[in-house]
Amino acid sequence: MAALGWLTPRRRSATARSVLAGEAAAEAARKTSAEDESALLTRAPEQAPEEPAFPVAGDDRAAAFFDLDNTVMQGAAIFHFGRGLYKRKFFERRELTRFAWQQAWFRLAGVEDPEHMQDARDSALSIVKGHRVSELMSIGEEIYDEYMADRIWPGTRALAQAHLDAGQRVWLVTAAPVETATIIARRLGLTGALGTVAESVDGVYTGRLVGEPLHGPAKAEAVRALAAAEELDLERCAAYSDSHNDIPMLSLVGHPYAINPDTKLRKHARALDWRLRDYRTGRKAAKVGIPAAAGVGALAGGTAAALALHRRRR
């Protein structure tokens, strides 16, 4: 399971640690997606609706990057993973109560609070220390079916499918453990996932992180590193998130989207004329700009190919 908190001394600057976390996430994502790429490329769309202006079909230098918590899935992945571990007696009830409080805060506040997120990841790191990576991956598959599958936002999944149908790669980018994120990406038919990387030695978790949690600026570094490695053109890429903490990532791409946005992101998105979509009530946000092909009903099959991105900053 990937990393979850600032547990190592700050021997590097925050920027250097963000770069390290981003590069580690990109490397892990490329390794996990390579095995699935050939299978994804052989899929064919179930139907060929009228092509929307965006995403551009056949653009193999474009990709899409989706935040996970409250963008693709209701709630926080780390909380749901914690519930599954508690069910399997990985920790005591007091720790579950702690996870529950963090999830309640997340739902009420509607934003990712760094202090609460760090607390959750500190707890998770201590819980998985000494366990094998393969063990947690196997358990993660079960936990997805038990607690996560029914919490995927249909609208956001349809947006991801629109990119896949256009022949573009789609990546999750999340502070959740990379192993958990990879499972979710695979279950949704996405290309892969960038997530927090927890250190392991000989397949056993040490309880430490590689860099820092993939949060805020670290997400932007991960996307930048992956784009460079995959020869993607960021100006032609899209990014989706609910949180103002992801403004650095959203600002990297030519097509930023605010999905179920918190107050700060909504204000920022409107000021910059970014596209918005809110699935929490089923209503459209002020500026929609989402192609009809990405409607809630368009959820089936598609091809994943494409690649691309060249660095861009605003």
Side-chain angles (χ1 to χ4, degrees):
M1 179 178 109
L4 318 158
W6 291 271
L7 299 181
T8 54
R10 289 184 175 272
R11 296 179 180 176
R12 304 181 182 87
S13 67
T15 299
R17 290 172 61 80
S18 294
V19 171
L20 178 59
E23 291 177 347
E27 181 180 0
R30 295 189 74 211
K31 286 181 180 178
T32 55
S33 65
E35 299 175 354
D36 299 329
E37 182 174 346
S38 59
L40 289 171
L41 289 171
T42 60
R43 294 184 188 173
E46 293 186 356
Q47 57 183 6
E50 182 179 349
E51 290 183 4
F54 183 81
V56 179
D59 185 357
D60 65 357
R61 299 198 62 216
F65 302 93
F66 284 78
D67 168 57
L68 177 58
D69 295 349
N70 210 36
T71 300
V72 171
M73 182 177 69
Q74 299 175 49
I78 189 63
F79 170 75
H80 299 308
F81 190 72
R83 290 175 66 193
L85 293 182
Y86 171 75
K87 178 180 177 181
R88 291 160 177 82
K89 304 186 185 303
F90 270 68
F91 55 90
E92 302 299 324
R93 179 175 293 275
R94 65 176 178 275
E95 290 292 338
L96 180 64
T97 302
R98 190 179 184 186
F99 274 114
W101 160 244
Q102 290 153 355
Q103 175 72 352
W105 174 271
F106 182 84
R107 286 181 175 275
L108 291 173
V111 298
E112 299 174 355
D113 181 88
E115 182 178 348
H116 285 268
M117 293 178 70
Q118 179 178 340
D119 193 30
R121 292 180 190 111
D122 286 350
S123 298
L125 274 180
S126 64
I127 289 166
V128 303
K129 181 179 179 179
H131 288 277
R132 299 197 66 81
V133 175
S134 58
E135 176 190 11
L136 270 295
M137 285 293 287
S138 177
I139 291 173
E141 296 281 357
E142 299 173 3
I143 292 175
Y144 176 83
D145 291 328
E146 293 171 1
Y147 298 113
M148 301 180 186
D150 293 337
R151 296 179 181 275
I152 303 299
W153 291 108
T156 310
R157 185 174 182 183
L159 292 174
Q161 190 63 50
H163 286 279
L164 294 173
D165 289 343
Q168 298 178 4
R169 292 185 178 186
V170 178
W171 304 83
L172 292 181
V173 187
T174 173
V178 68
E179 291 85 357
T180 301
T182 298
I183 290 169
I184 296 171
R186 183 168 60 248
R187 291 300 192 92
L188 296 179
L190 309 183
T191 307
L194 296 148
T196 301
V197 178
E199 181 184 81
S200 63
V201 176
D202 296 328
V204 177
Y205 289 112
T206 66
R208 295 188 294 270
L209 292 184
V210 177
E212 64 183 20
L214 201 69
H215 184 260
K219 283 189 178 182
E221 294 297 339
V223 170
R224 185 180 285 114
L226 183 64
E230 297 291 327
E231 298 182 347
L232 301 173
D233 181 355
L234 287 171
E235 179 63 31
R236 287 143 73 170
C237 291
Y240 301 78
S241 179
D242 71 296
S243 174
H244 69 280
N245 294 310
D246 288 339
I247 287 175
M249 177 181 75
L250 294 170
S251 299
L252 279 179
V253 302
H255 302 277
Y257 287 74
I259 305 296
N260 304 328
D262 61 35
T263 301
K264 290 183 179 179
L265 178 57
R266 184 181 293 274
K267 181 178 180 180
H268 187 87
R270 284 176 170 166
L272 295 183
D273 202 31
W274 289 355
R275 293 170 177 174
L276 291 96
R277 189 77 165 188
D278 198 323
Y279 297 114
R280 290 168 294 192
T281 62
R283 63 182 173 79
K284 293 183 178 180
K287 180 176 178 60
V288 177
I290 306 295
V296 174
L299 297 180
T303 59
L307 316 63
L309 271 156
H310 124 200
R311 258 174 97 158
R312 173 179 181 271
R313 299 186 190 186
R314 287 186 181 174

